[in-house]
Amino acid sequence: MLACALAIVANPALAQDVEPRGGDPSEPPVPVPPADADLPELDPVITDEEFEDTIPELDPSSDPELDSPLESIEEFERRIAAEQADGNPAAGQAPLRNDPALADGDTVEEIGDAPVRDAELVAPLPPLEQFEVAPVEFAQEESDEEIVEIAYSVQVNGLDAADEQTDTSLRGQFEDLSALEDGDGEAANVAQVSARLTEDSALMQRILAAEGWYEARATTRVDRSNEPGGQPLTAVIDVLPGPRYVFSDIVIDAPPTEPANLIRDNLALQVGEPIIATRVQGAEAQVAVTLPQNGYPFAEIGQRDILLDQETGDGVYTLPVTTGPRSRFGEIRTTGNLAFDAEHVEVLARFERGELYDSRMVDDLRQALVATGLFNTVSVLPEQSGEAAGDGTEYASILVEQDAGPPRTLAGSAGFGTGQGFRIEGSWTHRNLFPPEGALIARAVAGTQEQGAGLTFRRSNAGRRDRTFQASAEALHSNYDAYEAFTGRLSALVSYDSTNIWQKPFTYAYGAQLIGTNEQDYDLALGELDRRTFFIGGLIGQVGIDRTDSLLNAREGFRITALVEPEGSLEDGFTPYVRARVDGSAYFSPTDAITLAGRVRVGTIQGIDRFDLAPSRRFYSGGGGSVRGFGYQQLGPRVVYPDPDFEPDPDEPDEEAPLIYRPLGGRSLNEAAAEVRYRFGNFGVVGFVDVGQVYENTVPDFSDLRFGAGVGGRYYTNFGPLRLDVAMPLDRREGESKFAVYVSIGQAF
């Protein structure tokens, strides 16, 4: 029967008669074979004996129903109808529907609905608040057993020969990027190991291709060990590098340049060397940088093409370059939310109109604009002008797009030093109150031994790049062990200084000042404290050389600063004198973590006696920025006398007044310091030894040197290290502290 049916379907050409489908004459006829047609004989799929043997035998004794006769279709339908008729609808439930229309009431349908014979199908749904959800119960309880991971190792074969031919470690690159290595030798199953192995196979081919092996093959397998369970597994990658391709020709597709070999001389690729991806990218980047530095601001590097010859292992490299017009600096334009106009931008620029374009000068201008601190964002871009500049060049306009930032700044700092006490300084600055770059700065100091306020006008980039003019007025009260002073000061200064953004190798400053000060000093002739008033006028001159790598945390290089201040005392006539001081420091880092630092200072005052010199203008030594371990200004000549304000206890009338050790200052000084700085992460420790002394004479004689030693901690931030130093004097004398503590921002020197 099965074979016959297959023959009919497979041989529709045997049909002789047709009849319509379903009696509809519009449908295509169905071929019907004649009754007497000769059909081909087909072999049965299986024989009757095989079919009977396949069917299992049934035991009628196990189920009596197996031998009972089947009921007829009519009897089955009557029984089902009677069972459904016995079911009465519940209260409020719609009667059961036995008609084919169901609830939609449509009795005329192409395909009738099945009759509803189950009362639950037409029962109303329960309210949501009464709906209960029964938890799902699994046929099998969840296992408490932990998932057992399989262990594996990784083995790479055939890579050593290729690795020896490169300047980098191919095996190291593979281990850094490998999915197998990231798995730390554990996987959930063998399939996961196989997936990682497939991924690493592709990785190995990419690594080799990047070094010139473009036909490398990497086959993989998973080996089982002889241990019970076949673990650990070994994920094996067998590498066959194949030939390494080299450059056979280097072609540059570009218009002529000036000089003629500008591109080729800066494309660091040579015929015969391997085709290494990083070298190709680096060479192209060098060309992209060199062209704008040599008059081609609009140059573009195209997409390279490397044609490989599989038979010879050669590669022909072609680089298309669009140079654009050779250009010279043209006008400067500026747009956006302006902090200042194009005229002031020209002051900051280190190039002149007509000079050959150099992108380094454009970057320098961008840095100078950022250093003003007046912008949220600022950009400097060249634009084609189309204006001829001679010699086959064009002018390139410089477009400065500005977005001025908030001009006001609040700042503060705090510190503590033994002998100097706590000191807090705050300032308010409007950086562009008088454009361009005219700032007004209000400053106040509050401390245990110093209080004051001042107002400063500062013009940055005053008529020239990096030149600053400032005029200041300040009033200050100082109450130190050496003197107490009420001081007013007027000064004007022109300077060329470093900033945190722009560190300069050479700095200078010059200016003038007027000082009026009322100071309390110890008069040796009278043997008591005396208050005098001094009026001082003077000039300021300073030069500095800075060859360090950082302003706040230098690790290499040196600094030298020389200060000369010709002054004159206006009290009882005019008495001229000169204050001079030289500071130097050097830094060396034998390792990334260790820095050796040293500092020296020498000073002298010529032309005046110490008594005629205002106490605040003398030299002092000791403290956090001087010789640590001693109190602020405590070194040098001093006078010892009983405290005149002491009141003895009535119960102890013989109690002696405590002694006061009052520094007198001097006319010369010498200091030196050495530090060993060790940094780990954002923290560091420092060991140091300081030495120094102040002398009454005008020239330091390096006698009676005092030493201090200690340790410190550092916390390095993005604006400089926070410093905490603890030091003690060596060979401590009467009246000196056992130790001293210093807290501030920045290194000691």
Side-chain angles (χ1 to χ4, degrees):
M1 184 67 177
L2 180 59
C4 181
L6 289 174
I8 293 173
V9 174
N11 297 277
L14 299 176
Q16 301 295 326
D17 300 327
V18 296
E19 67 176 14
R21 298 178 184 269
D24 188 353
S26 63
E27 294 189 8
V30 177
V32 178
D36 57 351
D38 294 330
L39 299 178
E41 293 184 2
L42 298 177
D43 295 333
V45 177
I46 60 175
T47 63
D48 292 341
E49 292 79 5
E50 292 175 334
F51 181 76
E52 294 293 341
D53 293 340
T54 304
I55 298 176
E57 295 183 359
L58 301 178
D59 184 9
S61 63
S62 62
D63 188 354
E65 293 293 331
L66 293 176
D67 285 340
S68 61
L70 296 176
E71 61 183 335
S72 65
I73 296 300
E74 292 78 5
E75 291 174 352
F76 175 76
E77 291 179 348
R78 283 195 300 269
R79 180 171 59 80
I80 293 300
E83 292 176 358
Q84 295 291 343
D86 291 340
N88 295 322
Q93 180 179 352
L96 299 179
R97 300 293 300 269
N98 292 316
D99 61 330
L102 287 182
D104 58 8
D106 185 4
T107 59
V108 181
E109 297 178 326
E110 292 186 4
I111 300 177
D113 296 321
V116 179
R117 293 191 172 94
D118 191 344
E120 290 297 328
L121 295 177
V122 293
L125 295 175
L128 289 177
E129 60 270 13
Q130 300 178 7
F131 187 76
E132 296 182 359
V133 179
V136 177
E137 296 184 1
F138 295 94
Q140 183 177 359
E141 294 184 359
E142 185 178 359
S143 174
D144 293 334
E145 295 182 1
E146 296 183 358
I147 298 176
V148 178
E149 294 185 335
I150 64 172
Y152 66 86
S153 61
V154 182
Q155 178 179 329
V156 179
N157 302 321
L159 188 61
D160 294 340
D163 214 346
E164 293 175 356
Q165 301 180 42
T166 64
D167 296 331
T168 185
S169 173
L170 300 180
R171 188 176 296 274
Q173 293 183 41
F174 172 78
E175 291 176 352
D176 290 341
L177 302 173
S178 167
L180 289 167
E181 296 291 347
D182 287 344
D184 295 328
E186 293 183 349
N189 47 49
V190 178
Q192 189 175 54
V193 176
S194 298
R196 293 175 183 175
L197 194 55
T198 300
E199 182 178 343
D200 281 1
S201 172
L203 170 66
M204 180 63 74
Q205 289 176 304
R206 291 196 303 271
I207 291 175
L208 288 168
E211 293 294 325
W213 284 280
Y214 289 97
E215 294 185 9
R217 296 180 182 179
T219 59
T220 63
R221 69 178 187 275
V222 177
D223 292 344
R224 293 184 179 272
S225 71
N226 296 324
E227 299 295 329
Q231 291 192 47
L233 306 178
T234 302
V236 181
I237 301 179
D238 292 318
V239 180
L240 184 62
R244 193 180 192 188
Y245 284 80
V246 298
F247 291 113
S248 62
D249 194 8
I250 296 176
V251 180
I252 297 175
D253 183 9
T257 60
E258 181 64 36
N261 294 327
L262 179 61
I263 298 176
R264 185 65 189 91
D265 290 346
N266 288 277
L267 185 66
L269 300 176
Q270 301 296 328
V271 172
E273 71 178 21
I275 304 175
I276 302 174
T278 54
R279 284 187 52 80
V280 172
Q281 294 171 344
E284 293 173 358
Q286 178 63 31
V287 172
V289 170
T290 300
L291 286 172
Q293 292 177 351
N294 290 271
Y296 295 92
F298 311 108
E300 294 182 0
I301 307 300
Q303 179 61 47
R304 77 186 75 85
D305 179 73
I306 302 178
L307 182 61
L308 302 177
D309 189 333
Q310 294 179 320
E311 295 183 358
T312 62
D314 293 336
V316 177
Y317 171 85
T318 303
L319 179 67
V321 180
T322 303
T323 59
R326 191 164 183 254
S327 303
R328 299 182 181 275
F329 286 113
E331 66 171 345
I332 295 178
R333 299 191 307 109
T334 186
T335 61
N337 180 20
L338 302 184
F340 41 74
D341 57 20
E343 183 178 355
H344 189 64
V345 176
E346 292 178 358
V347 172
L348 301 178
R350 297 187 190 274
F351 54 81
E352 300 290 341
R353 177 182 171 88
E355 293 181 4
L356 189 65
Y357 183 93
D358 189 338
S359 59
R360 289 168 291 191
M361 295 294 100
V362 176
D363 293 338
D364 175 82
L365 175 58
R366 185 183 299 106
Q367 287 181 311
L369 291 167
V370 171
T372 65
L374 297 178
F375 301 100
N376 284 326
T377 59
V378 61
S379 63
V380 184
L381 300 170
E383 288 186 326
Q384 287 188 247
S385 68
E387 180 183 358
D391 295 332
T393 62
E394 295 182 2
Y395 285 112
S397 301
I398 304 301
L399 175 63
V400 178
E401 296 182 346
Q402 303 184 31
D403 180 17
R408 298 172 182 82
T409 301
L410 288 174
S413 63
F416 172 80
T418 302
Q420 195 174 6
F422 288 98
R423 187 178 189 276
I424 300 175
E425 181 175 351
S427 65
W428 172 90
T429 303
H430 192 301
R431 299 189 303 278
N432 204 28
L433 184 61
F434 308 100
E437 296 193 76
L440 185 66
I441 305 167
R443 170 179 167 269
V445 176
T448 54
Q449 293 180 300
E450 185 179 8
Q451 308 85 39
L455 196 65
T456 300
F457 167 76
R458 183 186 66 205
R459 173 81 70 187
S460 300
N461 297 301
R464 181 181 178 184
R465 165 81 173 268
D466 299 328
R467 183 169 62 188
T468 301
F469 169 78
Q470 70 177 36
S472 301
E474 59 183 355
L476 184 66
H477 171 241
S478 303
N479 186 12
Y480 301 118
D481 291 343
Y483 61 87
E484 181 192 8
F486 294 90
T487 304
R489 181 172 179 266
L490 297 175
S491 65
L493 191 71
V494 176
S495 63
Y496 180 88
D497 291 326
S498 292
T499 67
N500 291 337
I501 297 178
W502 198 272
Q503 184 176 356
K504 302 175 181 66
F506 175 77
T507 60
Y508 64 82
Y510 59 87
Q513 60 182 347
L514 291 174
I515 300 173
T517 180
N518 180 268
E519 304 187 2
Q520 186 186 59
D521 185 24
Y522 191 87
D523 191 328
L524 293 175
L526 299 177
E528 61 182 18
L529 295 175
D530 185 28
R531 184 172 290 277
R532 292 181 292 164
T533 300
F534 299 87
F535 295 98
I536 304 167
L539 303 177
I540 303 171
Q542 178 177 303
V543 294
I545 298 174
D546 190 344
R547 289 293 186 271
T548 63
D549 57 350
S550 173
L551 286 174
L552 295 178
N553 186 35
R555 301 187 69 248
E556 296 287 347
F558 67 92
R559 295 190 186 110
I560 298 177
T561 303
L563 172 67
V564 178
E565 294 177 307
E567 296 180 353
S569 175
L570 306 179
E571 182 185 8
D572 299 330
F574 180 73
T575 304
Y577 60 93
V578 176
R579 302 175 77 249
R581 193 183 72 215
V582 177
D583 292 86
S585 58
Y587 310 87
F588 171 69
S589 297
T591 69
D592 292 339
I594 296 176
T595 299
L596 307 179
R599 176 186 70 86
V600 295
R601 173 181 290 173
V602 178
T604 182
I605 301 175
Q606 302 282 339
I608 192 172
D609 291 337
R610 184 181 65 181
F611 179 75
D612 296 329
L613 189 63
S616 61
R617 304 301 292 168
R618 301 170 188 170
F619 284 132
Y620 299 90
S621 185
S626 179
V627 181
R628 288 163 289 185
F630 299 90
Y632 182 64
Q633 298 180 337
Q634 290 295 316
L635 291 182
R638 63 181 182 175
V639 62
V640 183
Y641 60 92
D643 185 357
D645 299 327
F646 174 73
E647 296 182 1
D649 190 336
D651 297 334
E652 298 183 13
D654 296 334
E655 183 182 3
E656 296 182 356
L659 297 178
I660 293 178
Y661 299 85
R662 191 179 190 92
L664 296 176
R667 292 183 294 170
S668 64
L669 88 161
N670 51 247
E671 294 177 355
E675 286 190 350
V676 178
R677 303 170 183 171
Y678 176 73
R679 178 172 179 174
F680 48 97
N682 290 330
F683 297 90
V685 293
V686 175
F688 57 85
V689 176
D690 295 351
V691 60
Q693 188 58 280
V694 174
Y695 306 94
E696 183 178 354
N697 296 328
T698 60
V699 179
D701 56 20
F702 301 95
S703 63
D704 193 26
L705 295 176
R706 302 302 311 281
F707 290 84
V711 295
R714 302 290 186 269
Y715 176 69
Y716 293 90
T717 68
N718 56 359
F719 56 84
L722 300 179
R723 174 168 67 103
L724 171 63
D725 288 339
V726 180
M728 63 179 62
L730 304 182
D731 190 21
R732 186 172 69 90
R733 299 175 182 176
E734 186 178 359
E736 295 176 345
S737 300
K738 294 181 179 179
F739 66 91
V741 179
Y742 312 96
V743 180
S744 66
I745 297 176
Q747 299 284 8
F749 58 89

